[in-house]
Amino acid sequence: QNHLLQLLALTAMEPPSDFTADSVRNEKVKVLHSLHTPGPKSVVRGQYGRGFVEGLEVPGYRGEEGVASDSMTETFVAAKLYVDNWRWADTPFYVRMGKRLARRETTIAIQVKRAPHPPFEDAAAEGLRPNVLLIHVQPNEGVSLAIGAKVPGQGMTIRTVHMDFLYGGAFREGLPEAYERLILDAMLGDATLFTRSDEIEEQWALVDAIVSFWQRDRPSFPNYASGTWGPAASDELLHRDGRSWRRH
């Protein structure tokens, strides 16, 4: 409800007229208000079972202390969302988040649409892939650009290469902790990074609509092992569109 939809709003928002709190938050609200409510086939939920994390065996969610043995609480969600506005019409936003996954990280991947007639399509169709902008939020903050480059030598062979920028490698100054920045902003009266009430209402309107159709059936939990990337249905969600989740 909060972090995932905030990242989506920041990615899809229009440039604000300035960086005052109201200008930034107004643009985020516009995105959240434009989110199309997904149908049941466009959302996958999950709950982790037993598995291995960093070589150690860990219990399933229902085996955790204080959790009911028949708990139906979700620990994973994946969804295909649409922002119904002029810029993002018919552009799918694939999102997923969960607990006890293969790795702890937050990444935004923006895949550039292929040109209708790439000049190298015939000669390098096998290695020619769309360009991708990667925004690494955590744990290693930075930006990467995945582009197609010609392999040196005769012939036309294209291979994807990465241009990387990491804050930790470029600057000597240590990055402030998340709440360190928020506490300072609160003291200064800067509300830019804080969610406004209408943002929260728009977020919950979408989440409540999803939960309402989840309540009609009882899923088979657990449906993914700890240390994996979630239930198989989340992969099928993208495979139906001829796509797949990114792997690092």
Side-chain angles (χ1 to χ4, degrees):
Q1 169 271 332
N2 186 17
H3 294 91
L4 189 68
L5 291 180
Q6 281 292 308
L7 290 178
L8 190 152
L10 288 166
T11 302
M13 64 184 274
E14 295 294 322
S17 57
D18 52 50
F19 282 109
T20 60
D22 277 342
S23 294
V24 172
R25 296 195 289 183
N26 286 343
E27 297 301 334
K28 288 198 294 178
V29 170
K30 291 177 184 178
V31 173
L32 296 170
H33 183 70
S34 299
L35 279 173
H36 177 77
T37 302
K41 294 183 179 180
S42 296
V43 184
V44 173
R45 55 177 165 165
Q47 184 190 93
Y48 66 83
R50 298 182 64 85
F52 292 86
V53 176
E54 296 181 352
L56 299 177
E57 187 173 9
V58 294
Y61 179 72
R62 293 177 176 179
E64 302 283 6
E65 183 178 355
V67 176
S69 59
D70 59 348
S71 172
M72 301 305 293
T73 298
E74 298 85 9
T75 62
F76 176 95
V77 64
K80 177 182 178 181
L81 303 175
Y82 285 97
V83 179
D84 292 334
N85 62 18
W86 181 270
R87 181 182 297 279
W88 299 112
D90 300 324
T91 300
F93 286 76
Y94 300 100
V95 297
R96 67 172 173 174
M97 66 182 304
K99 297 183 181 296
R100 285 277 171 84
L101 300 182
R103 185 169 56 255
R104 179 180 176 84
E105 73 171 60
T106 304
T107 302
I108 300 169
I110 303 170
Q111 180 170 299
V112 180
K113 187 176 181 180
R114 290 187 61 176
H117 180 64
F120 303 113
E121 188 167 23
D122 293 336
E126 185 175 343
L128 192 61
R129 299 179 181 177
N131 296 338
V132 179
L133 174 65
L134 296 168
I135 302 171
H136 308 288
V137 180
Q138 64 172 5
N140 300 312
E141 296 87 349
V143 179
S144 298
L145 186 63
I147 60 174
K150 181 184 179 300
V151 177
Q154 295 295 320
M156 180 60 70
T157 303
I158 304 295
R159 189 171 68 195
T160 299
V161 297
H162 291 263
M163 300 174 64
D164 300 316
F165 159 72
L166 295 176
Y167 275 93
F171 300 104
R172 295 179 180 275
E173 297 84 358
L175 292 173
E177 295 293 331
Y179 288 102
E180 182 181 346
R181 169 69 185 274
L182 289 177
I183 292 172
L184 177 60
D185 284 351
M187 295 170 65
L188 296 175
D190 184 352
T192 305
L193 299 181
F194 294 84
T195 51
R196 204 167 57 191
S197 60
D198 53 348
E199 288 183 66
I200 297 171
E201 290 171 358
E202 291 290 350
Q203 290 170 181
W204 275 112
L206 179 74
V207 172
D208 285 344
I210 295 172
V211 171
S212 67
F213 62 69
W214 276 356
Q215 294 175 340
R216 302 170 193 167
D217 66 287
R218 186 178 179 87
S220 178
F221 281 163
N223 59 359
Y224 72 95
S226 293
T228 66
W229 284 109
S234 68
D235 292 324
E236 296 167 5
L237 177 67
L238 271 70
H239 292 167
R240 293 199 299 263
D241 297 338
R243 297 185 171 94
S244 60
W245 297 106
R246 294 192 58 81
R247 295 285 191 267
H248 294 282

